[in-house]
Amino acid sequence: RAKLQQRAGHCYFSRSMGVEIRERVRMMHALRSGFQRGELFLDYQPQIDLATNRAIGAEALLRWRQQDGKLVPPDRFIPIAEYSGLIVEIGEWVLREACTELLRLRAAGHTAFTMSVNVSQVQLRHPHFLDMLRRALDDTGAPPDFIELEITESMAMEEPAALVEKLAHVKRTGVSIAIDDFGTGFSSLSHLQRLQVDRLKIDRTFVTEITGSARGSSIAQMVVQLGRNLGLSVIAEGVEDERQAQILRELGCPLAQGYLYSRPLSPENLLAWLAGESVTRAA
Ligand code: C2E
Ligand code: MG
Ligand code: MG
Ligand code: MG
């Protein structure tokens, strides 16, 4: 009987896997042609200095609007872009687009503004990653000191030696490095130091828990402390209400981003938001 159930389970698994693979292949083709047709674009979420409540930079977030107008969330299509290798090309486009947007913001007077760009592990592992980065900087003329690459904590823990070497080269271009979704992995202190990381991003799950109890805020508190001890910048992601912001300020967290301040915005709306921000502050 157990055997039968096992076999039945196995059959069911294979069939759903077939559907799953077919769906992925379909999506991969749609993504490739959508990318070529210009269906991908970037939104920008402001990052805020908790002491002054002013924007200090933005994170570029990839969007895919299909021909029928349907918006596909990045959590659905980025794994497919990675799986198919398409992320290498798409990621290069993202970086160049974000560099160009940074220059537009600077031209509009936001000269201290930074731009954070998410980098996939498939991209980072690619043998031409550094050339790609240098070319994007050269061709666009974007100032590297105002650009940050976000790699996830799980990526930061992989293949230490090769990664340390690669990130050292990244740092030599002037571009800085943030660890995204920090607190979800198990990176060691010494490893973080060897990676020459500049900033830790407290994962949203720990920001959500922060108002619950002392225990709920302990991870956020630990990351802030860690940042202070290592001399790293710290930003809390997914801040949705003023209570969370207040606790983060009390913990000494310097930076935040989240719906409390702004959803990710189109380039036009980001500029308007920044203009409005200075108007309200001046008033
Ligand atoms: P992430 O880099 O950790 O980005 C933060 C995600 O949290 C974004 O979702 C953002 O819209 C969302 N978020 C921001 N503030 C809040 C908030 O207050 N509440 C809630 N509930 N969510 C908030 P998004 O844009 O759907 O991106 C999801 C993930 O997709 C990103 O996580 C990142 O891992 C990946 N991604 C996005 N753009 C790119 C890209 O250009 N390249 C690569 N490789 N990955 C990307
Ligand atoms: Mg990110
Ligand atoms: Mg994140
Ligand atoms: Mg996250």
Side-chain angles (χ1 to χ4, degrees), residues 200 202 218-232 234 251-253:
L200 306 175
I202 305 174
S218 57
I219 291 183
Q221 186 168 11
M222 184 208 72
V223 179
V224 170
Q225 201 61 51
L226 189 60
R228 195 173 294 143
N229 293 344
L230 295 179
L232 307 179
V234 173
L251 294 179
C253 182

Side-chain angles (χ1 to χ4, degrees), residues 206-218:
F206 307 116
V207 173
T208 308
E209 287 169 5
I210 214 171
T211 48
S213 61
R215 228 180 120 236
S217 64
S218 57

Side-chain angles (χ1 to χ4, degrees), residues 101-111 271 274-275:
E101 183 54 25
L102 176 65
L103 289 171
R104 276 193 219 112
L105 287 159
R106 292 174 69 81
H110 303 287
T111 50
L271 269 175
L274 288 170

Side-chain angles (χ1 to χ4, degrees), residues 45 59 62-63 74-75 78 118 180-181 204 240 259:
Q45 186 176 41
E59 177 178 5
L62 187 57
R63 301 288 178 258
D75 289 332
I78 284 168
N118 291 287
D180 207 348
D181 304 340
R204 180 160 63 86
E240 294 185 350
Y259 297 168

Side-chain angles (χ1 to χ4, degrees), residues 226-273:
L226 189 60
R228 195 173 294 143
N229 293 344
L230 295 179
L232 307 179
S233 167
V234 173
I235 185 164
E237 67 176 6
V239 179
E240 294 185 350
D241 61 58
E242 190 49 58
R243 247 176 21 113
Q244 293 168 344
Q246 188 49 40
I247 293 172
L248 286 163
R249 266 191 293 268
E250 283 162 14
L251 294 179
C253 182
L255 305 171
Q257 80 185 79
Y259 297 168
L260 171 63
Y261 305 102
S262 174
R263 300 234 164 204
L265 301 168
S266 68
E268 300 71 38
N269 287 341
L270 175 64
L271 269 175
W273 188 88

Side-chain angles (χ1 to χ4, degrees), residues 35-91:
F35 176 48
Q36 281 158 359
R37 278 197 298 265
E39 291 174 14
L40 297 187
F41 61 97
L42 298 179
D43 275 348
Y44 300 89
Q45 186 176 41
Q47 299 176 319
I48 271 74
D49 180 336
L50 279 169
T52 61
N53 263 347
R54 302 208 58 150
I56 51 106
E59 177 178 5
L61 293 159
L62 187 57
R63 301 288 178 258
W64 177 20
R65 192 182 297 281
Q66 294 181 316
Q67 275 177 322
D68 57 8
K70 221 182 70 199
L71 205 56
V72 187
D75 289 332
R76 271 196 65 209
F77 72 83
I78 284 168
I80 285 156
E82 289 177 328
Y83 170 82
S84 62
L86 253 178
I87 194 71
V88 173
E89 246 182 285
I90 291 176

